[in-house]
Amino acid sequence: MTIGATAYAILTENATSRLRVKTIAIVVAVQNTWYTLWSLVLPYLFNPDKANLGAKIAFIFGDPETAGWSYEELDELYMKRVPARSFKTFVTEAERQGQEASKKVQERSQEGIPRWETGSLI
């Protein structure tokens, strides 16, 4: 479910039955106008020969950069209420477990134990 579909559910539940059709018509018209506006403005914000904002576009929408994060890690960040500005420095459970496994493989390889005996194919 997306925010657009959620808006329809909230919209139809909150409108009175007498005004429901008119309310839906007005909201859908405003929503489509808003989408059209953004579809015209966003290319100018991204293009290098115009505003050239690139990834800085996130400051307009207020969304944190989530590239390189798995869904599991993002869920953990949001569940632990980590502020978006701390995403880069926060160590998730998956990352911590990966670091521990990597450290064990390195320790075993230094002891002369072949990698296939450690259970890792790294």
Side-chain angles (χ1 to χ4, degrees):
M1 183 181 273
T2 65
I3 191 71
T6 305
Y8 283 106
I10 293 170
L11 170 66
T12 56
E13 288 177 3
N14 292 327
T16 62
S17 59
R18 193 170 62 95
L19 296 175
R20 185 169 292 144
V21 174
K22 289 181 183 178
T23 305
I24 292 171
I26 291 169
V27 170
V28 168
V30 169
Q31 180 184 22
N32 287 334
T33 303
W34 188 250
Y35 288 162
T36 302
L37 172 76
W38 277 115
S39 69
L40 294 172
V41 170
L42 282 177
Y44 289 102
L45 296 176
F46 278 111
N47 278 337
D49 60 337
K50 304 295 182 196
N52 193 23
L53 291 180
K56 293 179 218 162
I57 198 87
F59 292 117
I60 292 174
F61 295 104
D63 292 338
E65 179 59 48
T66 58
W69 295 94
S70 68
Y71 291 122
E72 178 187 44
E73 290 172 322
L74 288 172
D75 286 344
E76 180 182 345
L77 290 168
Y78 290 127
M79 283 190 295
K80 291 184 177 177
R81 298 186 185 274
V82 176
R85 64 183 170 271
S86 302
F87 273 18
K88 288 190 185 251
T89 58
F90 187 82
V91 179
T92 62
E93 283 296 314
E95 190 176 1
R96 186 185 56 76
Q97 290 172 356
Q99 290 170 349
E100 288 175 3
S102 178
K103 185 188 283 186
K104 285 181 183 179
V105 168
Q106 287 176 355
E107 289 171 359
R108 295 251 175 140
S109 66
Q110 289 174 354
E111 294 171 2
I113 301 172
R115 290 185 179 175
W116 63 83
E117 290 183 15
T118 64
S120 174
L121 297 176
I122 298 174

